[in-house]
């Protein structure tokens, strides 16, 4: 049925594009719930894999279900040597998000059977993607330095193993726990740009590796997942607490965006930023403070002073970069880490989309010419 009246809204702002029971945001009160559970509770009491199970399968797992899920993921962490060989040919100067998008899509070549009505196929695709994406991110990081990929360590949990594959050192338990909470906080966030991209791709009934690859491509942009990387570059550019005020004033005068601030939905401080700030405080007090932490606090104070009336507060990306940097993670891996976490949300939406599928095919308001003449090339 064609709608008789549609108002065009750039960015589809405020237009419902789906019905979902995966997550909920109250942007005025600063609340985020996964399957009805407050993110603060999951961050404090749960783990990333438990949260992923909740998002994807719709309920908190029993002890046995969680154990089975963790073991399944453990068994599928390795990547095939031909994928590693392919990755060795990637240019080392390439961005890790491009490497990840290519490698995620390549999984479709190796697991090409597509049986979207088979629960076992769905389960395996979920496990493979969740298990292999961290390994691919870490493998590219090693390979671009000329090293072989570091094999996953079966003694370590999901978060600790990823940090291990980056350095070949077992991480400090506090660092691993903080990283696990970061993954939980980034796992899902309603119908954001990359999730919408995943849903549109899923609606064509293509394979899940293509779904995740398209979402990775969307997440890479600086207005979405790429912002956490930009935040760190910005803090480096500011360089000192004394430079914060001139930086903010110049940005506001020239109407330039300050990275890590503002959100389409939150008009108060993003609850994930509040939790991440607490984690940052914990990490900095155990590992030592540095000037970037002081610059960030002053930046939040001044931006809130000047832009709170527009509902501009720190978003999730503002403190996540600081935390990752303190964990020794290179800046250009911040967005791939966002992808490692968000794959849980993408897969939950993939499953939800398949259950009620109708291919996305919105309409447009045509603003071009009609009956335009074709001018022969020599006369143009
Ligand atoms: N710095 C300065 N001013 C801002 C900012 C910012 N970061 N964000 C919005 N504004 C101002 C904007 O200039 C506008 O002012 P005015 O009404 O005077 O023209 C007003 O706030 C509303 O802006 P908008 O463009 O209508 O807001 P939006 O909902 O379209 O944008 C956003 C949301 C996230 C794209 C934007 O806030 C932004 O570009 N932030 C910086 C990039 C960033 O941190 N992105 C991460 C987003 S959260 C994680 C994710 O989704 O991946």
């Amino acid at each position: 049925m064609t709608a008789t009246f549609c108002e065009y809204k750039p960015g589809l702002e405020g237009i419902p594009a789906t019905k979902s029971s995966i997550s909920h945001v109250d942007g005025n009160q600063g609340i985020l719930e996964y399957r009805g559970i407050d993110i603060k509770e999951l961050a404090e009491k749960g783990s990333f894999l438990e949260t992923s199970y909740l998002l994807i399968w719709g309920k908190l797992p029993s002890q046995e279900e969680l154990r089975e899920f963790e073991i399944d993921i453990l068994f599928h962490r390795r990547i095939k040597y031909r994928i590693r060989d392919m990755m060795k040919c990637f240019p080392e100067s390439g961005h890790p998000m491009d490497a990840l998008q290519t490698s995620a899509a390549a999984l479709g070549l190796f697991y090409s059977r597509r049986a979207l009505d088979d629960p076992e196929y769905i389960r395996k695709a979920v496990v493979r993607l969740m298990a292999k994406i961290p390994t691919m991110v870490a493998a590219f990081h090693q390979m671009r330095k000329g090293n072989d990929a570091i094999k996953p360590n079966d003694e370590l949990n999901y978060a600790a193993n990823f940090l291990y594959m980056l350095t070949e050192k077992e991480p400090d338990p506090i660092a691993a726990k903080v990283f696990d909470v970061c993954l939980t906080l980034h796992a899902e966030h309603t119908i954001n740009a990359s999730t919408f991209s995943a849903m549109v791709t899923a609606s064509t009934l293509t394979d899940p590796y293509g779904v995740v690859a398209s979402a990775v491509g969307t997440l890479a942009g600086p207005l979405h997942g790429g912002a956490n990387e930009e935040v760190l570059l910005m803090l480096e550019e500011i360089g000192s607490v004394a430079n914060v005020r001139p930086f903010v004033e110049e940005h506001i005068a020239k109407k330039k965006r300050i990275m890590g601030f503002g959100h389409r939905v939150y008009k108060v401080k993003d609850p994930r930023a509040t939790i991440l700030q607490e984690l940052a405080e914990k990490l900095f007090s155990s590992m030592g403070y540095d000037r970037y932490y002081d610059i960030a606090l002053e930046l939040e104070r001044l931006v809130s002073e000047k832009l709170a009336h527009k509902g501009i507060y720190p978003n999730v990306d503002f403190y996540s970069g600081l935390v990752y940097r303190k964990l020794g993670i290179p800046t250009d891996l911040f967005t791939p880490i966002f992808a490692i976490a968000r794959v849980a949300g993408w897969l939950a939406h993939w499953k939800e989309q398949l259950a009620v599928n109708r291919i996305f095919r919105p309409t447009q308001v045509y603003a071009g010419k009609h009956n335009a003449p074709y001018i022969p090339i020599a006369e143009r």
Side-chain angles (χ1 to χ4, degrees):
M1 195 175 66
T2 313
T4 48
F5 171 76
C6 331
E7 188 191 348
Y8 163 56
K9 290 271 199 161
L12 296 183
E13 187 168 354
I15 310 242
T18 191
K19 268 189 180 179
S20 178
S21 51
I22 300 169
S23 64
H24 170 72
V25 172
D26 182 331
N28 294 320
Q29 293 197 62
I31 293 172
L32 168 62
E33 294 169 334
Y34 292 170
R35 302 278 185 191
I37 303 177
D38 197 303
I39 186 75
K40 286 188 206 124
E41 280 214 74
L42 290 164
E44 197 186 317
K45 300 172 192 161
S47 71
F48 172 64
L49 284 187
E50 184 185 10
T51 302
S52 303
Y53 189 104
L54 168 73
L55 290 167
I56 297 168
W57 306 110
K59 68 174 192 80
L60 284 170
S62 65
Q63 272 185 9
E64 201 187 321
E65 286 164 335
L66 180 58
R67 188 79 201 117
E68 210 176 295
F69 187 48
E70 287 170 343
I71 289 173
D72 256 356
I73 288 194
L74 196 105
F75 278 135
H76 287 87
R77 278 172 177 174
R78 288 171 194 227
I79 45 176
K80 289 186 186 286
Y81 80 87
R82 285 198 286 172
I83 293 195
R84 293 203 302 275
D85 284 355
M86 176 194 81
M87 294 178 78
K88 281 182 193 152
C89 301
F90 293 172
E92 57 273 14
S93 57
H95 196 283
M97 279 301 269
D98 293 326
L100 179 60
Q101 187 181 23
T102 311
S103 331
L107 289 176
L109 291 164
F110 292 90
Y111 308 104
S112 58
R113 176 176 165 264
R114 188 189 306 142
L116 300 176
D117 50 0
D118 175 358
E120 185 52 17
Y121 172 84
I122 304 274
R123 191 191 66 77
K124 276 219 171 108
V126 164
V127 166
R128 281 196 186 114
L129 279 157
M130 293 215 44
K132 293 182 195 303
I133 282 190
T135 313
M136 294 192 297
V137 171
F140 177 67
H141 179 59
Q142 293 301 335
M143 287 170 186
R144 67 180 171 169
K145 294 191 291 183
N147 301 333
D148 278 327
I150 295 168
K151 284 198 187 104
N153 182 333
D154 289 349
E155 303 302 314
L156 299 177
N157 71 21
Y158 196 84
N161 174 59
F162 175 72
L163 296 175
Y164 167 82
M165 290 188 296
L166 289 185
T167 58
E168 215 168 6
K169 283 191 215 114
E170 279 197 31
D172 171 86
I174 295 183
K177 175 63 191 156
V178 165
F179 187 64
D180 189 76
V181 177
C182 289
L183 295 179
T184 297
L185 296 177
H186 285 83
E188 158 65 8
H189 206 247
T190 74
I191 188 171
N192 52 82
S194 60
T195 300
F196 189 38
S197 174
M199 288 163 57
V200 171
T201 310
S203 80
T204 69
L205 301 184
T206 189
D207 71 77
Y209 309 102
V211 169
V212 168
S214 85
V216 171
T218 309
L219 184 69
L223 294 188
H224 191 9
N228 55 14
E229 198 177 323
E230 302 284 328
V231 168
L232 250 272
L233 298 175
M234 174 184 74
L235 295 178
E236 279 165 15
E237 185 196 329
I238 295 174
S240 71
V241 172
N243 281 340
V244 174
R245 185 174 284 278
F247 177 89
V248 171
E249 285 172 354
E250 194 209 318
H251 270 62
I252 293 176
K254 293 189 174 161
K255 287 196 163 293
K256 289 202 283 190
R257 300 275 153 137
I258 301 168
M259 288 293 140
F261 287 86
H263 200 279
R264 178 65 61 81
V265 185
Y266 292 114
K267 298 305 161 205
V268 294
K269 188 167 174 178
D270 183 331
R272 300 167 299 172
T274 307
I275 301 171
L276 277 163
Q277 188 177 3
E278 286 162 18
L279 289 181
E281 176 60 42
K282 193 170 163 184
L283 207 62
F284 279 81
S285 72
S286 91
M287 295 173 81
Y289 287 89
D290 64 35
R291 68 196 156 113
Y292 295 106
Y293 188 69
D294 297 333
I295 295 171
L297 290 184
E298 178 65 358
L299 192 59
E300 175 175 353
R301 194 183 70 73
L302 279 180
V303 173
S304 306
E305 183 186 301
K306 295 189 179 292
L307 293 176
H309 67 282
K310 290 188 186 176
I312 307 294
Y313 291 96
N315 60 46
V316 67
D317 290 319
F318 187 60
Y319 285 102
S320 63
L322 270 186
V323 168
Y324 296 152
R325 187 176 196 278
K326 200 69 193 167
L327 292 174
I329 298 172
T331 311
D332 64 359
L333 293 188
F334 294 176
T335 317
I337 287 169
F338 194 159
I340 290 174
R342 188 53 62 86
V343 76
W346 294 331
L347 291 168
H349 284 272
W350 169 60
K351 273 187 74 246
E352 192 173 66
Q353 181 64 35
L354 290 182
V356 291
N357 193 48
R358 184 158 169 79
I359 189 168
F360 277 95
R361 192 8 177 137
T363 189
Q364 63 167 20
V365 177
Y366 178 64
K369 296 178 188 167
H370 290 287
N371 299 320
Y374 175 81
I375 302 164
I377 197 160
E379 295 168 26
R380 282 173 220 161

